Amino acid sequence: MLVAAHLDAWAGGPGVADSSCDDVALIEAARDISRTGIRPRLSIRFVLFTGNDRGMPGSWAYVRAHRGELDRARAAISFHSRCSRVTGYSLNGRHDIESGLREAMKPVESLGAGHYDFGAPLETDNFDFLVEGVPTLTAIQVQTSPLLDPPATSGTPEKIDIADLKHNTAIVAVTSAFGIAERTAPIGPRQTRAEIEALLKASGLAGQMKINGLWPLWESGERGRLP
């Protein structure tokens, strides 16, 4: 399985601090898992992608290079916390993986990260895994009340909450290593091309792809699972 965050595409840009929060959580989670000495049933790859704000070429290139392995991929988890405390996951339109994920998340129920939504926004590196049919999760601050605090201000490292970073690191580690990679069964199957296209249309992602010029790449088979 794969756990990812992204390096900001704009050096010194306003989102650099936001990206670094997820990068730090991912790196620390990998270190924490290694320190336990426990080896999950399945391997976990921790990846920092580039170009998230420029069409996601990093994750697209990864998928093309590893397409032969995707039938065995349990999940692709992308972290997009924007320096806020992760309260759950976007399941990117995959209602069928909810029950498996809830079971996988039981060890961290006390951390309050069990809120889910099913939107499929075109804004994270999960996209190319989604259009390949791999179950994808995006760790986010799920709206749980109308008074939810806004995320940390972009580009202002002094406002980053270290307690939230530690919280997110625990979520990364437990979800990936002891939730999904250690499970006997996957949280959901890899979808067929027909199932993926139905999800794209039902979730509204197809419309976003058309606006951003990605739909022709899907139709031609250049981007996404081949028939």
Side-chain angles (χ1 to χ4, degrees):
M1 64 168 294
L2 180 139
V3 186
H6 73 271
L7 300 168
D8 199 84
W10 307 96
V16 172
D18 287 357
S19 301
S20 66
C21 291
D22 296 324
D23 300 340
V24 167
L26 185 146
I27 292 167
E28 287 301 310
R31 182 178 292 145
D32 288 348
I33 292 170
S34 177
R35 283 173 174 169
T36 67
I38 299 171
R39 295 294 178 263
R41 295 171 186 267
L42 302 178
S43 61
I44 307 169
R45 292 179 183 172
F46 295 90
V47 183
L48 298 178
F49 289 122
T50 59
N52 176 266
D53 302 313
R54 299 181 179 180
M56 298 166 285
S59 47
W60 186 18
Y62 180 95
V63 164
R64 293 199 306 272
H66 297 274
R67 186 166 274 150
E69 305 170 5
L70 296 182
D71 278 340
R72 303 191 302 275
R74 283 292 180 91
I77 304 175
S78 176
F79 277 78
H80 194 63
S81 73
R82 301 173 65 201
C83 289
S84 294
R85 178 173 288 243
V86 168
T87 57
Y89 287 98
S90 172
L91 278 58
N92 298 297
R94 291 287 302 264
H95 289 267
D96 62 304
I97 66 176
E98 181 182 6
S99 61
L101 180 59
R102 287 194 181 279
E103 183 179 341
M105 291 290 288
K106 283 182 179 179
V108 287
E109 282 181 346
S110 62
L111 296 182
H115 304 284
Y116 305 128
D117 73 28
F118 297 92
L122 184 61
E123 61 179 20
T124 66
D125 285 299
N126 70 284
F127 171 74
D128 280 288
F129 295 93
L130 185 154
V131 294
E132 287 285 348
V134 176
T136 65
L137 310 172
T138 308
I140 57 175
Q141 186 189 35
V142 177
Q143 184 86 28
T144 56
S145 79
L147 301 177
L148 188 67
D149 291 336
T153 303
S154 296
T156 54
E158 71 278 3
K159 293 187 178 181
I160 294 172
D161 190 318
I162 299 302
D164 285 349
L165 279 181
K166 291 180 178 180
H167 167 94
N168 293 353
T169 297
I171 297 299
V172 177
V174 175
T175 305
S176 59
F178 307 108
I180 297 177
E182 186 61 17
R183 274 174 61 87
T184 304
I187 61 171
R190 185 182 182 192
Q191 291 183 318
T192 65
R193 184 176 173 88
E195 290 171 332
I196 299 164
E197 183 152 336
L199 182 152
L200 296 177
K201 293 176 178 177
S203 66
L205 188 54
Q208 298 177 62
M209 291 169 65
K210 290 173 184 177
I211 292 170
N212 288 276
L214 296 174
W215 190 253
L217 298 178
W218 163 259
E219 289 189 311
S220 68
E222 187 175 348
R223 203 159 185 171
R225 185 166 192 178
L226 299 174

